[in-house]
Amino acid sequence: MALPSGFEGPKEYFEKFFNFIQKYEYLFNFPNTDLLVNEVLDKIEMNLQELDIFQEVFDIRKLNCEYLTDFFEDLDKFDVKYEDFKDNDNLEFLIEVPLSVKKKHEIAYLANEIENVCGNIQCDTIVDFGSGLGYLDEQIFKTTNFNVLGLECNETNYVGAKKRQRKYYIDSMQRVKYIKHTIKPESTNIQEFLNDKFPNCKGFCIAGLHACADLTVDAIDMFLKMEHARALIIMPCCYHRIMEGNGGFKNFPLSRTLNEAYEEYSGFKYLTVPFLRLATQPPHMETEKIEDYVFNLLSRAVLQVYANEHNCKLKRNKRKAVRLKTLDNNFEAYAADAVNGFKLFLNKSGQESQVVSNNFERNIIIEDLISIWRQIPQLTFKKSAVFVLLQNSMQPAFENFVLYDRLVYLQEKGIEKCMFKKIVNEKISPRCLALIAQK
């Protein structure tokens, strides 16, 4: 289920959730990099002077504090109980490729779920949305009797899947086919692909692992409109990458019920990129590493303070601007890394012009950053830890809100057999939920 037990239906749930996020907007509705700039921590009203929040075992729910009591009383109303994941010792990942334990686990269990769902309905073909290098498709071939059509938009992945098949899996070539195709809501030519590759196809299932951004919604819409689509089994992720447009998002809210609540409660103020980014965060955090989380959070926030003081924007020079894993929570090392990992750009008349490097010599930048860091009081570190733990506590409720909207949308379209199910081990793969629907 995805509706918390205390609510009669989606309308009440959506409305009460808006009340919740309005009350605690200050905990999420901004980029976390602006934590210090926005003085967010001042709103966490707790006495932490005598508390060792960085102890090895720390349970924030056990603190006797009015602020936390009120917060968790409000949050727990949105708690959702999914059926526990069940390990299957008989499942094996059968593809000889050097993948991570996480990836092998996801592929094996998704293929198994596909077999369980589609084995009892009029479905003989699986259409894999975002088939990548074809690992899921080959696993399905080795463990089921279904035909597989892999659709992949990336040329390199598509070519790689074809080459791998010809080299290692030649026995699958009659039952596993690949097509380079960019999936869009109007991709009705999927039926033409099926007619060409598997002319005897009676019914198909749309499947997908790591259906990023809008791909899950595109899959839902195609499942609804295509006559021979019998089932949908897809694992959504990366909600923060949903396409933006017209002051909101293209595919969120999705259901009529949430759209009505969105209008009534000025949802555009709260259902923002930071909201979706929090919904996407891994829901489980090891408390013994809270110091690392706080260091990373405040270090980046210090850079933002510095940029703000100089009326500048920060831009990364590379994907990993700072090598966090090698710094051992040393801010001097962080600052030295940041000098090379970021560039400053002036905020000037709506245009960004790069600051001339001579105006900000490297040693001056490092000294200024270290000065800001050293002025941070110990209480700020403790409140930052509380902030991290509260966000982590909110994540499952935020993710459920996003996913339940999609479930309600399907129900509004007449699909009664639909649910979210935990099909992989959440300790191995945080994005453990699959949307499963049948006609």
Side-chain angles (χ1 to χ4, degrees):
M1 59 180 293
L3 179 67
S5 58
F7 300 97
E8 293 183 358
K11 182 177 186 295
E12 181 189 12
Y13 166 68
F14 289 142
E15 290 175 349
K16 294 297 184 183
F17 195 86
F18 272 119
N19 289 333
F20 173 79
I21 59 177
Q22 286 173 352
K23 182 176 180 179
Y24 295 103
E25 176 187 9
Y26 64 88
L27 288 174
F28 72 89
N29 205 7
F30 61 94
N32 280 0
T33 53
D34 291 340
L35 182 76
L36 297 179
V37 171
N38 291 351
E39 299 179 339
V40 173
L41 300 177
D42 292 345
K43 299 175 183 177
I44 298 178
E45 300 173 350
M46 296 177 60
N47 182 6
L48 300 170
Q49 296 292 350
E50 304 301 322
L51 183 66
D52 181 11
I53 201 168
F54 297 106
Q55 60 185 283
E56 184 174 345
V57 178
F58 181 81
D59 186 351
I60 193 170
R61 283 180 173 267
K62 292 184 178 180
L63 291 183
N64 185 15
C65 167
E66 183 178 355
Y67 173 85
L68 291 178
T69 299
D70 291 344
F71 172 81
F72 285 114
E73 186 176 293
D74 291 337
L75 177 62
D76 288 346
K77 296 173 184 176
F78 304 98
D79 186 40
V80 176
K81 301 295 185 185
Y82 287 95
E83 183 178 341
D84 290 339
F85 165 77
K86 295 181 177 62
D87 277 305
N88 185 339
D89 294 334
N90 296 321
L91 279 188
E92 294 183 67
F93 180 76
L94 301 175
I95 313 302
E96 294 295 329
V97 286
L99 292 179
S100 66
V101 172
K102 172 179 176 290
K103 192 75 170 180
K104 291 179 179 180
H105 177 79
E106 292 170 339
I107 291 171
Y109 276 90
L110 178 55
N112 182 65
E113 190 66 32
I114 289 169
E115 181 178 21
N116 292 340
V117 171
C118 298
N120 298 316
I121 59 177
Q122 290 184 330
C123 179
D124 52 35
T125 303
I126 310 302
V127 180
D128 181 11
F129 278 19
S131 54
L133 292 170
Y135 302 140
L136 174 62
D137 308 319
E138 296 298 338
Q139 177 78 8
I140 293 172
F141 168 76
K142 288 181 176 292
T143 57
T144 75
N145 293 316
F146 301 117
N147 296 319
V148 185
L149 177 65
L151 302 180
E152 174 57 45
C153 66
N154 182 282
E155 176 75 19
T156 301
N157 288 342
Y158 164 72
V159 172
K162 298 275 285 185
K163 286 183 177 178
R164 288 187 59 82
Q165 186 181 38
R166 286 193 295 267
K167 186 173 182 179
Y168 300 112
Y169 314 116
I170 194 168
D171 57 334
S172 75
M173 293 188 68
Q174 294 303 310
R175 279 183 35 209
V176 178
K177 307 287 186 178
Y178 295 103
I179 291 179
K180 183 178 180 297
H181 177 70
T182 300
I183 297 164
K184 297 179 181 179
E186 61 273 13
S187 295
T188 51
N189 50 353
I190 291 175
Q191 187 61 60
E192 297 174 10
F193 298 153
L194 287 168
N195 293 340
D196 177 51
K197 302 297 183 183
F198 304 111
N200 297 320
C201 173
K202 296 177 181 178
F204 65 92
C205 167
I206 296 173
L209 175 63
H210 298 311
C212 187
D214 298 279
L215 184 56
T216 296
V217 178
D218 291 342
I220 289 172
D221 285 336
M222 276 179 271
F223 167 72
L224 291 170
K225 74 172 63 171
M226 298 185 70
E227 179 184 356
H228 297 291
R230 306 298 187 202
L232 172 68
I233 307 171
I234 198 158
M235 300 181 71
C237 66
C238 301
Y239 317 120
H240 60 295
R241 294 181 179 175
I242 294 174
M243 185 180 297
E244 298 180 65
N246 298 322
F249 298 98
K250 177 186 174 184
N251 289 315
F252 180 62
L254 191 63
S255 67
R256 182 188 69 253
T257 308
L258 180 52
N259 268 294
E260 291 172 355
Y262 181 89
E263 293 298 325
E264 181 178 352
Y265 289 86
S266 301
F268 67 92
K269 296 180 181 179
Y270 313 103
L271 304 188
T272 57
V273 171
F275 176 94
L276 293 173
R277 189 176 294 278
L278 179 53
T280 305
Q281 282 183 195
H284 296 284
M285 182 185 67
E286 298 176 22
T287 54
E288 65 267 26
K289 294 184 178 180
I290 185 66
E291 288 182 277
D292 297 339
Y293 284 91
V294 169
F295 173 81
N296 298 342
L297 176 68
L298 288 180
S299 296
R300 183 60 179 82
V302 163
L303 290 180
Q304 206 65 29
V305 169
Y306 182 85
N308 193 63
E309 288 178 349
H310 291 84
N311 190 32
C312 290
K313 289 184 179 181
L314 282 163
K315 297 287 184 179
R316 288 181 296 185
N317 287 331
K318 49 190 176 182
R319 183 172 174 270
K320 296 289 185 181
V322 179
R323 301 163 299 164
L324 294 171
K325 292 184 179 181
T326 64
L327 299 179
D328 196 27
N329 292 357
N330 181 299
F331 187 78
E332 286 80 1
Y334 181 97
D337 235 21
V339 167
N340 296 316
F342 290 94
K343 287 182 180 179
L344 283 171
F345 291 82
L346 285 172
N347 289 322
K348 186 177 179 181
S349 302
Q351 296 179 339
E352 295 182 344
S353 59
Q354 187 173 350
V355 175
V356 179
S357 59
N358 291 337
N359 293 341
F360 293 95
E361 295 180 7
R362 183 175 301 182
N363 64 330
I364 298 176
I365 293 176
I366 293 175
E367 290 174 358
D368 288 351
L369 291 177
I370 293 173
S371 176
I372 296 171
W373 177 263
R374 289 177 175 170
Q375 292 174 41
I376 299 176
Q378 188 61 30
L379 182 60
T380 297
F381 286 85
K382 291 184 176 183
K383 282 198 171 185
S384 296
V386 171
F387 172 81
V388 168
L389 293 170
L390 293 183
Q391 277 206 340
N392 190 64
S393 298
M394 296 165 73
Q395 187 281 332
F398 279 41
E399 181 172 21
N400 185 72
F401 185 83
V402 176
L403 299 184
Y404 188 58
D405 174 44
R406 298 173 181 185
L407 207 62
V408 173
Y409 177 71
L410 279 164
Q411 293 167 347
E412 290 173 349
K413 296 294 185 180
I415 304 299
E416 296 181 0
K417 292 183 178 181
C418 57
M419 65 175 180
F420 277 95
K421 179 181 177 182
K422 194 178 292 185
I423 70 166
V424 300
N425 189 330
E426 60 190 322
K427 293 181 179 180
I428 297 176
S429 177
R431 299 275 81 76
C432 60
L433 296 169
L435 172 58
I436 302 173
Q438 299 178 49
K439 289 180 181 173

